[in-house]
Amino acid sequence: MEVDALDQHYRDFQALFGVSLHVAEGEIVAIIGANGAGKSTLLKTVAGVLRSPGPSVRFEGSTIGELRAYRRVDLGIVLTPEGRRVFPSLTVRENLEVGGYCRRPGSWSIERIFSVFPLLQRLADRSAAALSGGEQQALAIGRSLMANPRLLMMDEISLGLAPAVVKQLYGAIPGIRDEGTTLVIVEQDVTQALRVADRAYCFLEGRVSLQGEPSQLTRDDIRAAYFGI
Amino acid sequence: MAWLNTIVQGVLLGGLYALFATGLSLVFGVMRVVNLAHGVLTLLAAYLALVIVDLTDVNPFLALLVVIPVMFGLGYVAQRLLINLTLAGGVLPPLLVTFGIAVIIENTLLEVFSADSQGLNAGRIETVSITITDRLAIGWFPLGLFVAAVVVLGGLQLFVDRTRFGRALRATSDDREAAQLMAINDRHIYAVAMGIALAVAGIAGVFTGVRTTFGPLDGAILLIFAFEAVIIGGLGSLWGTLIGGIILGVAQSIGAQLSPGWFQLAGHLVFLAVLVIRPTGLFPREGVAA
């Protein structure tokens, strides 16, 4: 996935300024930055929720800016949106079934997702609205996996969750990569994200302020890139 | 026994109201659009059946074989080409557009068919009945209508609950944007929902045409009956819609029994009472805001 000189606006407000980045197949890339830095805007643009006419966003060499979100899922671009966004009137199992709506070929199935997140199996026939935050987040990730993504983008999966739950969710990430899925993780929780990532980008006020491998980024670099001080 | 008869006739009439209301309820439940053209479109289906019967001399119920797919197609196309485009602007634009559609269809019907009342003749079934006692008889037609309503609503409920498309429909209704992230084409889902809504309205239209005479200006009252059934039953709930239709039908029957002029008034009063006591209706679907 490549993003080249991407601008993005919400009406009069410009959220992204010439953002360029690339994600290679099989990588785990973390995107960190403060609230409002443009991280979620980037993910929504790549997923097609926000429009981006023009050649700025490419996937496997093709421009995808004209495709609506549901068509991008067919290509294997899947977003686990911020705030979980599970379907409250559907059961846990139905949520997962809807996740597999596109019927892309691959190894993920409801049973495999239950084996990664055993708590979901117990809750399979419960309404998704009755789940706790952590359970909903596990469901949201499982639902995304049902599409057998080539590129899975996860937006703030740790937000509002207890540390133990976050650890559990992050524990599933290497296994997801081993299935051949490339991952982009957007996080405000820097430590958590850098622990699993191969490379990281830091966003500041709609621009990339820092990039590199987590081991090569110093604490001071990150602080400067994150806060702009 | 006269009262029992009144109630039974009211329940059976409720089936028809449930058929009127189903499409309105479905469209509101899925896309939060109040289709003000629903009554006129129901009427359009009756006129379509009238044309088919005039041309081919078949029984009006056989005309359903044409009416249902035509109404589905009309709903799909209207949603895809017109109503979908209005959804981004909030609740008002779709309301205005469907009102506009209603005005256009109403005046076209008036122009083509004149203001004269028309009727569909289904033959003997309209008059034969099962005599239970000398004061209680159930007509085959009202009974068939009621059974048809239950079958249609039950079938629709099964479709929504059990099928892959039904799950996609509910997911889109919950969260349109998140549904797109699951590879669901929301515009197609909405169009199919409108297609189904109008197909059911088509069935209701043909039954109405057989049951009573109709004219180009009757759409408004059909819309009001549909509204009342939906609101009494609860927004977005299909079985609630059936119950709502039955309550409305029984109220009207009882009103008419008391005095012929109270037929509609009694229905309106029950509707108002429900609005005051339970604004979300008797059986609201979870998560639907009033």
Side-chain angles (χ1 to χ4, degrees):
Chain A
M1 188 266 286
E2 280 173 79
V3 174
D4 187 23
L6 174 69
D7 292 337
Q8 185 60 270
H9 303 258
Y10 294 100
R11 301 199 177 198
D12 294 338
F13 174 73
Q14 186 163 1
L16 295 178
F17 299 83
V19 166
S20 298
L21 54 79
H22 68 277
V23 178
E25 193 163 353
E27 266 191 315
I28 300 179
V29 171
I31 298 178
I32 57 174
N35 216 347
K39 312 180 298 292
S40 296
T41 303
L42 173 75
L43 294 199
K44 283 184 183 172
T45 307
V46 175
V49 176
L50 298 176
R51 286 175 47 78
S52 60
S56 285
V57 184
R58 288 189 297 277
F59 183 69
E60 298 185 327
S62 325
T63 302
I64 56 169
E66 297 298 329
L67 296 181
R68 293 189 66 216
Y70 77 95
R71 300 270 297 123
R72 298 191 195 193
V73 182
D74 291 335
L75 298 176
I77 303 173
V78 178
L79 169 66
T80 308
E82 185 179 359
R84 318 191 250 280
R85 307 277 285 270
V86 296
F87 301 116
S89 66
L90 274 59
T91 66
V92 167
R93 187 185 298 277
E94 286 176 331
N95 265 275
L96 293 173
E97 284 167 341
V98 168
Y101 190 77
C102 67
R103 295 177 166 157
R104 281 176 47 77
S107 60
W108 288 101
S109 64
I110 293 183
E111 287 68 34
R112 285 220 42 217
I113 284 160
F114 284 162
S115 72
V116 176
F117 300 115
L119 60 113
L120 292 181
Q121 183 155 28
R122 216 164 20 84
L123 303 165
D125 297 315
R126 283 259 208 104
S127 157
L131 269 51
S132 72
E135 290 160 352
Q136 284 192 357
Q137 190 63 69
L139 176 58
I141 295 171
R143 187 180 63 174
S144 299
L145 291 173
M146 284 295 291
N148 289 300
R150 308 271 328 264
L151 171 69
L152 176 59
M153 302 181 287
M154 300 200 284
D155 199 351
E156 304 273 13
I157 58 170
S158 71
L159 202 68
L161 300 181
V165 177
V166 174
K167 208 174 151 202
Q168 228 175 15
L169 295 174
Y170 268 86
I173 286 176
I176 295 171
R177 190 239 301 262
D178 293 344
E179 290 297 325
T181 300
T182 305
L183 284 132
V184 174
I185 299 164
V186 155
E187 268 297 352
Q188 287 188 58
D189 183 342
V190 178
T191 326
Q192 199 59 255
L194 294 187
R195 196 174 294 152
V196 292
D198 301 317
R199 283 189 310 118
Y201 290 88
C202 186
F203 274 42
L204 178 68
E205 291 171 357
R207 296 180 172 83
V208 174
S209 55
L210 181 72
Q211 54 179 303
E213 292 174 20
S215 57
Q216 293 167 348
L217 302 177
T218 68
R219 204 171 252 274
D220 289 339
D221 288 343
I222 294 172
R223 188 179 300 135
Y226 195 100
F227 296 110
I229 47 172
Chain B
M1 199 52 107
W3 284 105
L4 180 63
N5 187 47
T6 302
I7 289 171
V8 169
Q9 306 308 334
V11 169
L12 297 181
L13 179 59
L16 181 62
Y17 292 158
L19 281 181
F20 285 157
T22 298
L24 199 67
S25 175
L26 182 72
V27 166
F28 181 82
V30 173
M31 53 190 125
R32 307 290 181 272
V33 165
V34 176
N35 177 11
L36 290 181
H38 194 76
V40 181
L41 285 161
T42 306
L43 209 55
L44 180 68
Y47 277 101
L48 182 59
L50 185 72
V51 170
I52 295 166
V53 169
D54 278 354
L55 289 178
T56 62
D57 211 23
V58 294
N59 187 290
F61 295 119
L62 268 178
L64 279 172
L65 293 175
V66 178
V67 170
I68 291 173
V70 168
M71 292 302 286
F72 179 91
L74 186 68
Y76 189 96
V77 171
Q79 183 69 37
R80 209 64 210 242
L81 299 184
L82 194 59
I83 303 171
N84 272 344
L85 306 180
T86 69
L87 295 179
V91 291
L92 201 54
L95 210 61
L96 291 174
V97 166
T98 56
F99 183 68
I101 294 173
V103 171
I104 292 167
I105 295 176
E106 195 169 87
N107 283 284
T108 308
L109 289 177
L110 205 54
E111 199 60 39
V112 175
F113 295 97
S114 83
D116 296 346
S117 286
Q118 310 274 359
L120 294 168
N121 185 355
R124 241 170 65 77
I125 191 165
E126 289 187 53
T127 50
V128 289
S129 60
I130 316 162
T131 306
I132 294 170
T133 70
D134 56 346
R135 302 289 299 273
L136 177 61
I138 296 177
W140 276 106
F141 173 70
L143 184 64
L145 198 167
F146 185 79
V147 170
V150 172
V151 168
V152 167
L153 265 82
L156 208 51
Q157 189 75 56
L158 271 180
F159 175 74
V160 170
D161 283 349
R162 301 283 168 83
T163 64
R164 174 171 176 267
F165 187 90
R167 283 193 296 272
L169 192 74
R170 284 181 288 143
T172 310
S173 162
D174 274 356
D175 188 334
R176 186 183 179 187
E177 192 178 284
Q180 287 184 60
L181 294 173
M182 306 297 126
I184 294 169
N185 180 357
D186 53 328
R187 294 175 187 168
H188 172 69
I189 296 273
Y190 281 1
V192 172
M194 186 58 91
I196 294 172
L198 293 200
V200 177
I203 300 172
V206 171
F207 275 111
T208 307
V210 172
R211 185 176 169 273
T212 167
T213 57
F214 55 93
L217 304 175
D218 293 343
I221 194 69
L222 296 185
L223 179 67
I224 288 176
F225 289 161
F227 253 129
E228 292 183 341
V230 171
I231 301 289
I232 293 171
L235 294 169
S237 148
L238 285 176
W239 287 121
T241 301
L242 180 63
I243 304 288
I246 290 173
I247 291 173
L248 184 65
V250 170
Q252 291 184 347
S253 285
I254 291 175
Q257 177 80 10
L258 293 172
S259 163
W262 290 1
F263 172 76
Q264 286 190 18
L265 179 69
H268 298 332
L269 288 177
V270 168
F271 162 71
L272 285 175
V274 170
L275 259 190
V276 169
I277 298 161
R278 272 183 77 102
T280 54
L282 301 176
F283 307 95
R285 199 186 64 159
E286 282 171 46
V288 174

